[in-house]
């Protein structure tokens, strides 16, 4: 893959689309990310070669255990960071945009502290709604 960030974005997108629809194809990823179908096709070939996805006969993209682990970690960072930013007063739109960039560069130490704060917040305020 070209960069770790792009790989994580592709895997996270596949993960989220699969949670929503249960069936993901290259065209779905292209539509979601706003990329061309040939670009997505090339990326999926690389992800498959690196063991992150399997492509079934009818074009369905399925995350391998390795791919799912990366996707879930990226998605968790996205959710925690965006929630944390909204809790401190950042608008939802900006928080979601910023989380998309921050999720790839944040240190494990900082993320774990943000996650602990996020979890404590939800213990204190269980009525707080999660945003995906």
């Amino acid at each position: 893959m070209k960069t770790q960030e792009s790989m994580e974005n592709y895997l996270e997108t596949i993960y989220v689309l699969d949670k929503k629809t249960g069936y993901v194809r290259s065209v779905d990823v292209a539509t979601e990310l706003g990329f061309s179908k040939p670009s997505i096709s090339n990326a999926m070939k690389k992800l498959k070669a690196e063991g992150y996805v399997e492509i079934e006969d009818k074009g369905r993209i399925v995350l391998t255990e390795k791919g799912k682990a990366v996707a879930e970690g990226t998605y968790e960072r996205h959710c925690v960071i965006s929630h944390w930013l909204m809790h401190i007063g950042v608008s939802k739109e900006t928080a979601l945009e910023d989380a998309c960039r921050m999720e790839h560069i944040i240190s494990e130490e900082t993320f774990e502290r943000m996650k602990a704060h996020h979890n404590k917040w939800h213990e204190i305020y269980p009525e707080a709604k999660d945003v995906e």
Side-chain angles (χ1 to χ4, degrees):
M1 293 301 304
K2 193 165 115 181
T3 67
Q4 181 75 14
E5 181 176 338
S6 65
M7 177 197 66
E8 289 175 350
N9 279 334
Y10 287 126
L11 296 173
E12 180 185 20
T13 299
I14 294 164
Y15 178 76
V16 170
L17 287 172
D18 188 60
K19 281 180 61 169
K20 287 181 184 176
T21 67
Y23 195 92
V24 181
R25 299 164 298 146
S26 290
V27 67
D28 303 318
V29 178
T31 300
E32 183 72 20
L33 295 175
F35 295 159
S36 71
K37 292 175 195 172
S39 293
I40 297 300
S41 181
N42 285 335
M44 292 308 111
K45 287 176 187 173
K46 291 176 184 175
L47 289 171
K48 182 178 179 183
E50 294 178 21
Y52 291 104
V53 300
E54 290 294 327
I55 311 295
E56 295 181 347
D57 289 339
K58 296 190 179 196
R60 181 179 184 196
I61 302 168
V62 179
L63 294 170
T64 63
E65 288 302 314
K66 178 180 174 182
K68 189 174 182 182
V70 172
E72 287 176 339
T74 304
Y75 183 67
E76 179 186 37
R77 289 191 306 273
H78 177 85
C79 291
V80 169
I81 292 167
S82 60
H83 294 167
W84 192 83
L85 291 171
M86 286 184 274
H87 289 312
I88 63 170
V90 177
S91 71
K92 180 178 178 179
E93 181 179 319
T94 300
L96 293 172
E97 289 175 12
D98 287 349
C100 282
R101 290 188 297 275
M102 294 170 68
E103 67 195 28
H104 305 289
I105 61 170
I106 193 168
S107 71
E108 192 62 30
E109 177 185 0
T110 300
F111 174 69
E112 288 302 321
R113 295 309 312 144
M114 288 176 86
K115 187 165 89 172
H117 178 76
H118 176 262
N119 291 340
K120 185 175 181 180
W121 173 269
H122 283 284
E123 287 175 17
I124 297 169
Y125 302 103
E127 70 279 1
K129 301 262 190 252
D130 283 349
V131 177
E132 295 189 20

